[in-house]
Amino acid sequence: MVLGSLSVEFVVRTCARPRPGETVSGIGFGIYPGGGGANQAVAAARAGGKSTMVGRIGQDDFSRVLTKSLFKSGVRGDLVQVTQGTSSGCVFITEDQEGQRSTVIFPGANERCSKADVLGMLPVLEDAKVLLLQMEVPQEVSFYAARQAKDRGVTVIMDPSPFGAISPCDMKSLDIVVPNRRQASLLIGRQVTDQRTARLAAAMLVDQGAKAAVVTMGSQGAVYADETSAGYIPGHRVDVVDPAGAGDTFAGALAAAICQGKDLREACRFANAAAALCVTRPGAQPSMPWRREIDRFLSDGRISSP
């Protein structure tokens, strides 16, 4: 199960992002399904998991973009609630030719996610193996869901994006916390820049109460640690087309792998390969790989067509 955000992304590409007061012409435009929660639900489903999305969309035409993508990827969506009186979450992105982005997020219906949504998902949660969370809905709702899942023996994975502080009590409700380098730096209060500092961060997050931690480092791979082991998963050399969605792909594929019984090292190896494939294509959800592609990439390093 994934509890989190669903947002429509409006992406305009320009030769150069506008300065204050400046108007520039766009050279490309696209509307894409997004939101950290929806991205992770799609990534998990495509990676071979049985994925259920829990969240909120607005009463508007853009919501169809979000629901169509979920269903197309095989995500169960009947727990996504239509919210009256507000729009769906929206993300407005201006991207220059070097891939640098300026982003404005309007949460919309995502802000209306509440404990009532958590209570509504409990009958389905009883049969779940993993609950995947982020911080794009009210944080108190995410950690309320984490406690409900823990009470039912469900593994809880948290991707702390966008960053929010995690109290010691809340950290203890997490089985796996999956920050990137920036988020890990904020969580432990010191810079995480390379494999050595990432290993230190993962160990410190376990000391803070999480059962396990995985620190993602983009092209440099990922490190992991739990109470008895630690390790490093090297990155893959691929031609990067668009890094959007890589972190969500990693989290979703990690959740799917854990559901399928892989240990932490193998789950990280699987997720790392999925994220590497994601960046070789444009868009977030459209670029997320299917299970057969991930297996082939891990087997022979070949990147096949979706």
Side-chain angles (χ1 to χ4, degrees), residues 19 25 62 82 92 104 111 122 129 141 167 173 184 193 288 293 303:
R19 296 186 294 269
S25 294
F62 295 125
V82 177
F92 302 91
V104 177
E111 283 190 321
L122 292 183
K129 292 182 179 179
V141 177
S167 71
S173 68
T193 58
M288 292 173 173
E293 300 175 79
I303 300 175

Side-chain angles (χ1 to χ4, degrees), residues 49 73 76 118 141-142 148 180-181 197 199 227 235 244 273 292:
S73 296
R76 175 177 172 176
V118 177
V141 177
S142 292
Q148 294 294 325
N180 61 26
R181 279 175 292 194
T197 52
R199 285 177 178 269
E227 294 175 340
R292 62 182 180 276

Side-chain angles (χ1 to χ4, degrees), residues 91-157:
V91 182
F92 302 91
I93 300 169
T94 302
E95 181 179 282
D96 65 23
Q97 289 182 307
E98 295 180 354
Q100 297 297 313
R101 292 183 164 199
S102 298
T103 304
V104 177
I105 296 176
F106 176 68
N110 294 312
E111 283 190 321
R112 304 284 187 90
C113 197
S114 68
K115 291 182 179 179
D117 296 281
V118 177
L119 295 175
M121 78 184 199
L122 292 183
V124 182
L125 185 65
E126 296 283 353
D127 296 321
K129 292 182 179 179
V130 170
L131 174 65
L132 181 55
L133 304 166
Q134 330 78 41
M135 293 186 174
E136 293 184 1
V137 299
Q139 193 166 326
E140 64 272 15
V141 177
S142 292
F143 284 110
Y144 177 68
R147 292 191 293 273
Q148 294 294 325
K150 290 290 287 184
D151 289 345
R152 290 161 174 78
V154 177
T155 297
V156 179
I157 301 177

Side-chain angles (χ1 to χ4, degrees), residues 5 7 9 33-44 53 70 245 248-249 252 284-285 288:
S5 63
S7 298
E9 295 184 352
N39 287 349
Q40 292 175 7
V42 167
M53 182 70 210
L70 293 178
D248 291 330
T249 299
Q285 288 184 27
M288 292 173 173

Side-chain angles (χ1 to χ4, degrees), residues 203-218:
M204 290 180 68
L205 291 170
V206 173
D207 288 342
Q208 289 179 16
K211 284 190 175 180
V214 179
V215 179
T216 61
M217 301 185 295

